[in-house]
Amino acid sequence: MAGDPQEPQAPQSQQSQQGQQGQQGQQGQQGQQGQQGGADALELLGEHGCFAGRQRFYRHASAAIGLPMRFSVFIPAQAEKGRVPVLFCLAGLTCTEETFMVKANAQRYAAEHGLMLVAPDTSPRGAGIPGEDDDWDFGTGAGFYLDAVCEPWSRAYRMESYICDELLRIAATVLPGDAGRVGICGHSMGGHGALVLAQRHPGLFRSVSAFAPIAAPSLCPWGRKAFGAYLGPDPQDWAGHDASRLMERAHCPFPEGILIDQGLDDGFLAEQLHPEAFEAACARAAQPLTLRRHAGYDHGYYFITTFIRDHIAFHAERLRA
Ligand SMILES: N[C@@H](CCC(=O)N[C@@H](CS)C(=O)NCC(=O)O)C(=O)O
C-alpha cells in the first residue's frame, strides 16, 4: 500500500534504483542527466508482483515541486530485456498515485503489450499554502497538471514541469522506460492533463487518450476555479491550458488520432466536462478524434475499467515503432 512506508523486498538487482541504466538497454540523452548527482534518487515504498511484472510505489524529493512526491509504476516483464514504451496515467480530482493502479486494471493489458505505466500524484501535498485543503476540487488533489503562475500556488504547484521534465526523465533513466516512446492518458482532471500536456509537448508524447476529460476547463466551474487561482483572473491567460482552445488554433497535431471515452450517465458531464467543445475544435483542426459516448456508464472507475483495454491497445499500437 503506497501510504505505508515499508522495507522494500526488491530483488537484488533492483535494490538500488540508480545506476542501473546500463543493464536496461540503450539510454538516450535524458539518461545522462539521471546519472548525475543523485538528484533523482527514489525511495521504494512498496513492491508487488503483478501480471509477471512489478507494481511499485515510490517517494522522492521533487526538484520541480520542492517537496516529497509519490508516484506509482507498473514495470512489465518485457523490461528485463530492454527499454519499454511508457504510458503516463493521470488521475482525477481527489485521487492519488495509487487510485489508477488499484482500480483501472490497466496492468493486465500493459503486461500483454509490454507497456510501462506511470501514475503521478494529482498535486503537491503539504505545501502549507492557506486554503489548500479547504475544498475537494481545488488545491490538494487538484493540481490540474499545470505550472501555477500566481502566488502563493506558484511556490509548489508545478505539476506540468514535474511530469514533463522530472518524472519523464526518471521514467527513462532510473526506470526502464524509453523516452522516445511515451504516451499519456487520463481521467477527468487527468483527462484534461493528458489532452493539454500532449498538445503543449508534442515532442514528448506520441499518443494521447482520455476518459471523461474536463475537455474545456475555461467553460466549467472546476476549471474556472482552478485556473483563476493558479493562472490568474483573466480567461485570456488560460488559453494555453485549455484542451479545446489549444486544439482550436492547431492543425492536426496527432495524425494517428485521439481516443476519448465518455459515459452518458456521468453526473459531471453537462456542467463540467464539455466533450462537444473538444469535438468541435478537433473538427476545425482536422484532428482525427474517436469520441465514444456510452449509455449506462457514469464517471467512476467501473466505467474506466470497462474500456481500459481499448486505451492500452490504442497506445501500444502508436508506441510500438
Ligand atoms: N467529491 C467527490 C467526487 C470526486 C470524484 O468523483 N473524483 C473522481 C475524479 S473527478 C475519481 O476518480 N474519484 C476516485 C474514485 O472514483 O475512486 C469525492 O470526494 O469523492
Side-chain angles (χ1 to χ4, degrees):
M1 160 92 188
D4 299 323
Q6 57 190 8
E7 279 298 307
Q9 299 297 312
Q12 191 63 35
S13 65
Q14 293 166 344
Q15 290 227 336
S16 166
Q17 299 302 325
Q18 285 205 292
Q20 60 176 301
Q21 298 92 319
Q23 303 160 22
Q24 300 282 8
Q26 270 221 311
Q27 70 175 12
Q29 206 182 356
Q30 298 194 18
Q32 311 294 331
Q33 299 167 20
Q35 283 182 309
Q36 291 167 8
D40 288 336
L42 303 181
E43 180 186 358
L44 186 61
L45 299 175
E47 177 165 22
H48 313 271
C50 187
F51 292 102
R54 308 302 293 171
Q55 175 65 51
R56 294 188 189 152
F57 294 89
Y58 286 112
R59 176 167 53 205
H60 66 126
S62 166
I65 303 289
L67 290 166
M69 289 292 285
R70 293 177 185 223
F71 69 92
S72 63
V73 58
F74 169 72
I75 302 177
Q78 289 87 336
E80 287 164 19
K81 298 208 176 92
R83 294 197 169 274
V84 291
V86 183
L87 180 61
F88 277 80
C89 306
L90 310 185
L93 294 163
T94 72
C95 294
T96 70
E97 76 286 355
E98 193 179 29
T99 315
F100 181 86
M101 294 299 191
V102 171
K103 293 188 167 183
N105 193 30
Q107 295 94 332
R108 172 175 179 173
Y109 306 108
E112 286 175 12
H113 291 285
L115 271 187
M116 185 166 111
L117 306 176
V118 179
D121 203 347
T122 53
S123 76
R125 289 181 195 268
I129 296 174
E132 70 183 345
D133 294 325
D134 289 357
D135 298 337
W136 66 271
D137 58 357
F138 178 71
T140 303
F144 273 81
Y145 303 103
L146 52 74
D147 286 0
V149 297
C150 297
E151 281 280 335
W153 305 100
S154 55
R155 288 181 218 156
Y157 279 64
R158 298 172 44 79
M159 291 297 288
E160 178 173 7
S161 293
Y162 173 63
I163 290 168
C164 296
D165 299 341
E166 195 167 9
L167 204 47
L168 185 49
R169 183 180 68 243
I170 288 170
T173 55
V174 187
L175 299 171
D178 181 346
R181 293 183 292 165
V182 182
I184 190 164
C185 71
H187 169 228
S188 195
M189 175 183 72
H192 141 77
L195 296 176
V196 168
L197 294 184
Q199 290 189 76
R200 287 173 62 84
H201 303 275
L204 294 185
F205 301 109
R206 286 175 44 184
S207 57
V208 56
S209 76
F211 297 90
I214 303 173
S218 305
L219 301 180
C220 78
W222 283 340
R224 287 198 208 104
K225 180 173 177 175
F227 284 12
Y230 299 152
L231 301 175
D234 185 352
Q236 293 305 325
D237 296 335
W238 306 347
H241 299 272
D242 180 307
S244 297
R245 294 169 73 181
L246 277 166
M247 187 58 75
E248 269 168 20
R249 62 192 198 203
H251 182 73
C252 192
F254 291 92
E256 290 189 74
I258 295 173
L259 172 63
I260 294 179
D261 279 308
Q262 175 64 58
L264 290 177
D265 286 359
D266 183 331
F268 296 121
L269 175 55
E271 189 179 21
Q272 303 283 9
L273 303 180
H274 296 291
E276 72 288 346
F278 188 70
E279 188 175 40
C282 284
R284 261 197 300 281
Q287 170 61 52
L289 169 69
T290 302
L291 170 53
R292 306 190 300 189
R293 294 173 166 92
H294 305 280
Y297 290 90
D298 64 21
H299 194 67
Y301 271 82
Y302 295 112
F303 157 65
I304 295 174
T305 198
T306 303
F307 299 105
I308 191 69
R309 179 184 188 175
D310 297 348
H311 285 246
I312 298 294
F314 174 89
H315 288 277
E317 198 181 327
R318 283 152 185 79
L319 299 176
R320 191 158 289 138

